[in-house]
PDB file of all heavy atoms in Angstrom:
ATOM      1  N   SER A  32       7.701 110.354  88.357  1.00 40.00           N
ATOM      2  CA  SER A  32       8.706 110.821  89.314  1.00 40.00           C
ATOM      3  C   SER A  32       9.834 109.811  89.451  1.00 40.00           C
ATOM      4  O   SER A  32      10.991 110.181  89.577  1.00 40.00           O
ATOM      5  CB  SER A  32       8.078 111.126  90.672  1.00 40.00           C
ATOM      6  OG  SER A  32       7.558 109.957  91.250  1.00 40.00           O
ATOM      7  N   TYR A  75      37.457 151.822  76.785  1.00 89.00           N
ATOM      8  CA  TYR A  75      37.447 150.773  77.807  1.00 89.00           C
ATOM      9  C   TYR A  75      37.291 151.319  79.228  1.00 89.00           C
ATOM     10  O   TYR A  75      36.630 150.698  80.051  1.00 89.00           O
ATOM     11  CB  TYR A  75      38.694 149.888  77.686  1.00 89.00           C
ATOM     12  CG  TYR A  75      38.604 148.989  76.487  1.00 89.00           C
ATOM     13  CD1 TYR A  75      39.234 149.316  75.301  1.00 89.00           C
ATOM     14  CD2 TYR A  75      37.827 147.844  76.529  1.00 89.00           C
ATOM     15  CE1 TYR A  75      39.114 148.503  74.181  1.00 89.00           C
ATOM     16  CE2 TYR A  75      37.704 147.022  75.419  1.00 89.00           C
ATOM     17  CZ  TYR A  75      38.345 147.365  74.249  1.00 89.00           C
ATOM     18  OH  TYR A  75      38.209 146.552  73.142  1.00 89.00           O
ATOM     19  N   ARG A  76      37.881 152.478  79.514  1.00 92.00           N
ATOM     20  CA  ARG A  76      37.804 153.004  80.882  1.00 92.00           C
ATOM     21  C   ARG A  76      36.586 153.887  81.106  1.00 92.00           C
ATOM     22  O   ARG A  76      35.831 153.679  82.045  1.00 92.00           O
ATOM     23  CB  ARG A  76      39.086 153.761  81.215  1.00 92.00           C
ATOM     24  CG  ARG A  76      40.292 152.804  81.279  1.00 92.00           C
ATOM     25  CD  ARG A  76      41.580 153.530  81.478  1.00 92.00           C
ATOM     26  NE  ARG A  76      41.673 153.995  82.854  1.00 92.00           N
ATOM     27  CZ  ARG A  76      42.562 154.877  83.274  1.00 92.00           C
ATOM     28  NH1 ARG A  76      43.416 155.404  82.434  1.00 92.00           N
ATOM     29  NH2 ARG A  76      42.600 155.246  84.527  1.00 92.00           N
ATOM     30  N   GLU A  87      52.850 147.301  82.572  1.00 92.00           N
ATOM     31  CA  GLU A  87      54.263 146.943  82.617  1.00 92.00           C
ATOM     32  C   GLU A  87      54.849 146.914  81.212  1.00 92.00           C
ATOM     33  O   GLU A  87      54.134 146.681  80.241  1.00 92.00           O
ATOM     34  CB  GLU A  87      54.470 145.585  83.301  1.00 92.00           C
ATOM     35  CG  GLU A  87      53.894 144.408  82.560  1.00 92.00           C
ATOM     36  CD  GLU A  87      54.139 143.077  83.268  1.00 92.00           C
ATOM     37  OE1 GLU A  87      55.272 142.814  83.698  1.00 92.00           O
ATOM     38  OE2 GLU A  87      53.175 142.310  83.369  1.00 92.00           O
ATOM     39  N   ASP A 106      34.783 139.899  86.599  1.00 85.00           N
ATOM     40  CA  ASP A 106      35.706 138.775  86.447  1.00 85.00           C
ATOM     41  C   ASP A 106      36.337 138.700  85.055  1.00 85.00           C
ATOM     42  O   ASP A 106      36.877 137.682  84.667  1.00 85.00           O
ATOM     43  CB  ASP A 106      35.001 137.452  86.789  1.00 85.00           C
ATOM     44  CG  ASP A 106      33.855 137.144  85.850  1.00 85.00           C
ATOM     45  OD1 ASP A 106      33.416 138.051  85.129  1.00 85.00           O
ATOM     46  OD2 ASP A 106      33.380 135.997  85.839  1.00 85.00           O
ATOM     47  N   PRO A 124      53.839 142.004  61.024  1.00 50.00           N
ATOM     48  CA  PRO A 124      52.434 142.414  60.851  1.00 50.00           C
ATOM     49  C   PRO A 124      51.593 142.005  62.064  1.00 50.00           C
ATOM     50  O   PRO A 124      51.807 140.945  62.643  1.00 50.00           O
ATOM     51  CB  PRO A 124      51.980 141.664  59.613  1.00 50.00           C
ATOM     52  CG  PRO A 124      53.207 141.099  58.998  1.00 50.00           C
ATOM     53  CD  PRO A 124      54.278 141.081  60.030  1.00 50.00           C
TER      54      PRO A 124
END
Side-chain angles (χ1 to χ4, degrees):
S32 64
Y75 287 98
R76 293 175 74 193
E87 66 179 313
D106 63 345

